[in-house]
Amino acid sequence: MASTGAQTSGEYIAHHLQNLHVGHGFWSVHLDTLIVSGVLGLLSFGLMMVVARKAQSGIPSGVQNFVEMVVSIVDEQVRDTFHAKSALVTPLAITIFVWVFLMNAMDLIPVDFLPETAKVAGVEYLKVVPTTDLNLTFGMSFTVFLMMLAFNFKYKGVGGFLKEALTVPFGKYLFPVNLLFRIIEDIAKPISLALRLFGNMYAGEMVFILLAVLMGVSYWWIPAGAVLSLGWALFHILIITLQAFVFMMLTVVYMSMAAEHH
Amino acid sequence: MNINATLLGQALWFALFIWLTMKYVWPPIQKAMQDRQKQIADGLAAGEKGRQELEAAAEKVTLELQKAKEQANDILAQADKRAGEIVEEAKSSAKNEGDRIVAAAKAEIEQEVNRAKEQLRAQVAALAVSGAEKILKKEIDTKAHAEILRSLESELG
């Protein structure tokens, strides 16, 4: 903010909330979201692949130890919640936790650092936290939704799934109500997943932006703003971890509900 | 904040990363962890087995030691007894030997005595004959008086 004194506060905030996009209408894409999330994913999962390839059952190296720790925490949660047999659910949960955590962690980089660097490189807009983009959160929850449907069919069969949708919870005579309830319930799941993550991260990012605005008001505000930013960043470490965990946990719960008979 | 094709791109990224994790990350790590779990369990079991074996061995050692001590005591007692016997035997054989030597000596002495007596008798007979000769001034026919001489000799015995 301080370096862009010509902007008003409103312009500053709007600028921060603008994605780097190409194209028009629905067929436009947010390059910053795609690239940041993709790079984070490729780096983290690439690293995990390298570690996994060299994984040994003897005394694990430092990196392997760390990866195993993360993986086994997730696996423990999955085994507590998801009781059917599936080769997909644990990897899915690991992917969600690691990826969402790293994308959320982009929030901890000072708000102006990457956008201003990008501006020097000629990139006008850059929104560095991919999870503050609804497209990302809905992209993930939509994928989870599809897997939920697939699990329903796989573990209950078409007939079992239909029977459950029509007869639970009020019995067969109220099947229209049951079906309506089921549709609302299942659609609410991906929407709540996506909006929860988006809302938390968007709000967190907003607080950082507003603190940056505060520091831009006058030099007198810089110490207070710095202290508040630091405090919020420390608190945010908790939030980003928690949100990654919640997204993962709810996904596992939904998959478990899809796989088990009610 | 509009929904657009980014959503599809993100879904693709997501699917790719799930696939990578499912195919290349989770199975090897899970295998490594399970293998390690098994190794640790095996190691603990082996340790427990070793401890039990050690205990058994210690017990056996105590038992063997006790047995050996008992054996040693037995051997000592036997040796003591045997030594006593040997001493006794030596004593009795020495006594026998002594007795035998004493008896032999006594017999020899008796023999010597007899022989001396015999010589003495012969000499006395000769003396008596020569005395008688001197008395009678006449030679005694030893052949004719052999009977008398013999009775003299036996009288002297």
Side-chain angles (χ1 to χ4, degrees):
Chain A
M1 179 67 189
S3 63
T4 53
Q7 283 181 320
T8 66
S9 298
E11 281 167 358
Y12 174 77
I13 295 170
H15 181 265
H16 263 287
L17 298 181
Q18 186 72 49
N19 280 103
L20 174 69
H21 66 280
V22 290
H24 294 285
F26 179 77
W27 290 108
S28 65
V29 288
H30 295 164
L31 284 179
D32 45 6
T33 305
L34 278 174
I35 291 172
V36 172
S37 65
V39 166
L40 284 175
L42 289 175
L43 283 179
S44 56
F45 295 107
L47 173 73
M48 284 169 81
M49 271 169 66
V50 171
V51 171
R53 184 175 303 233
K54 287 191 294 189
Q56 47 181 357
S57 59
I59 299 164
S61 66
V63 190
Q64 190 191 340
N65 215 347
F66 179 73
V67 171
E68 278 187 12
M69 188 186 75
V70 173
V71 161
S72 57
I73 288 171
V74 175
D75 184 43
E76 210 169 288
Q77 299 300 329
V78 172
R79 267 184 289 145
D80 281 348
T81 310
F82 187 87
H83 300 297
K85 266 187 79 72
S86 169
L88 174 67
V89 175
T90 305
L92 172 67
I94 295 169
T95 312
I96 291 173
F97 184 67
V98 172
W99 199 32
V100 171
F101 175 79
L102 286 174
M103 290 190 292
N104 289 351
M106 294 301 285
D107 219 355
L108 297 176
I109 299 173
V111 277
D112 270 329
F113 183 68
L114 288 177
E116 291 297 321
T117 311
K119 196 182 273 177
V120 172
V123 179
E124 183 57 23
Y125 296 103
L126 182 65
K127 217 173 142 201
V128 287
V129 189
T131 37
T132 58
D133 186 344
L134 268 179
N135 287 299
L136 181 138
T137 56
F138 269 111
M140 287 182 77
S141 69
F142 182 65
T143 314
V144 169
F145 178 68
L146 289 183
M147 278 190 263
M148 244 166 64
L149 285 183
F151 265 47
N152 267 312
F153 285 119
K154 186 184 164 198
Y155 285 92
K156 294 166 187 161
V158 180
F161 184 28
L162 278 178
K163 184 163 171 273
E164 190 182 281
L166 291 174
T167 59
V168 175
F170 295 125
K172 57 185 171 180
Y173 298 113
L174 282 171
F175 71 88
V177 183
N178 292 335
L179 189 62
L180 185 68
F181 268 44
R182 181 58 184 250
I183 289 170
I184 292 172
E185 186 192 336
D186 275 4
I187 286 180
K189 283 171 185 171
I191 292 178
S192 73
L193 263 187
L195 289 182
R196 178 182 305 107
L197 181 59
F198 165 75
N200 273 285
M201 297 323 295
Y202 189 80
E205 177 77 347
M206 202 55 146
V207 171
F208 280 122
I209 294 171
L210 290 175
L211 285 172
V213 170
L214 176 70
M215 284 191 272
V217 170
S218 94
Y219 290 115
W220 294 105
W221 281 107
I222 289 179
V227 169
L228 286 172
S229 287
L230 177 66
W232 182 240
L234 291 174
F235 180 61
H236 217 58
I237 294 173
L238 179 69
I239 295 180
I240 62 176
T241 316
L242 192 68
Q243 286 308 318
F245 186 79
V246 165
F247 199 110
M248 175 202 88
M249 212 53 228
L250 282 176
T251 303
V252 174
V253 169
Y254 293 159
M255 301 309 272
S256 154
M257 283 165 78
E260 281 166 22
H261 291 268
H262 291 279
Chain B
M1 209 42 58
N2 42 352
I3 295 290
N4 55 33
T6 313
L7 188 149
L8 301 177
Q10 287 305 142
L12 283 179
W13 271 138
F14 189 35
L16 170 72
F17 295 141
I18 295 171
W19 180 75
L20 283 181
T21 310
M22 195 167 86
K23 188 104 177 165
Y24 298 108
V25 175
W26 174 233
I29 289 184
Q30 189 187 28
K31 189 175 169 301
M33 290 198 295
Q34 280 173 348
D35 285 354
R36 184 172 321 119
Q37 219 166 19
K38 197 175 163 300
Q39 274 178 2
I40 291 171
D42 288 354
L44 286 178
E48 176 65 19
K49 201 172 156 234
R51 200 182 58 77
Q52 280 175 355
E53 270 170 11
L54 188 68
E55 248 169 46
E59 216 166 287
K60 208 176 159 196
V61 164
T62 322
L63 220 67
E64 291 288 325
L65 211 61
Q66 209 174 341
K67 232 194 257 176
K69 266 185 194 160
E70 278 169 16
Q71 256 177 357
N73 283 340
D74 279 1
I75 290 169
L76 272 178
Q78 270 182 350
D80 266 358
K81 204 172 139 206
R82 181 86 191 108
E85 277 173 8
I86 288 170
V87 168
E88 284 305 311
E89 265 171 35
K91 268 186 192 166
S92 68
S93 73
K95 194 165 174 288
N96 288 345
E97 183 71 12
D99 286 354
R100 198 179 58 74
I101 290 169
V102 168
K106 274 184 181 163
E108 206 170 326
I109 288 167
E110 206 151 309
Q111 259 180 356
E112 288 293 321
V113 167
N114 284 344
R115 198 181 301 139
K117 274 182 182 170
E118 210 66 30
Q119 277 176 354
L120 212 55
R121 205 179 289 149
Q123 279 174 6
V124 168
L127 260 176
V129 170
S130 65
E133 268 177 5
K134 275 176 187 160
I135 295 166
L136 297 175
K137 304 283 190 210
K138 180 177 111 178
E139 207 172 311
I140 293 169
D141 183 356
T142 26
K143 273 176 194 157
H145 302 307
E147 189 66 26
I148 300 167
L149 284 173
R150 208 171 297 131
S151 70
L152 256 176
E153 264 177 36
S154 62
E155 266 174 57
L156 282 168

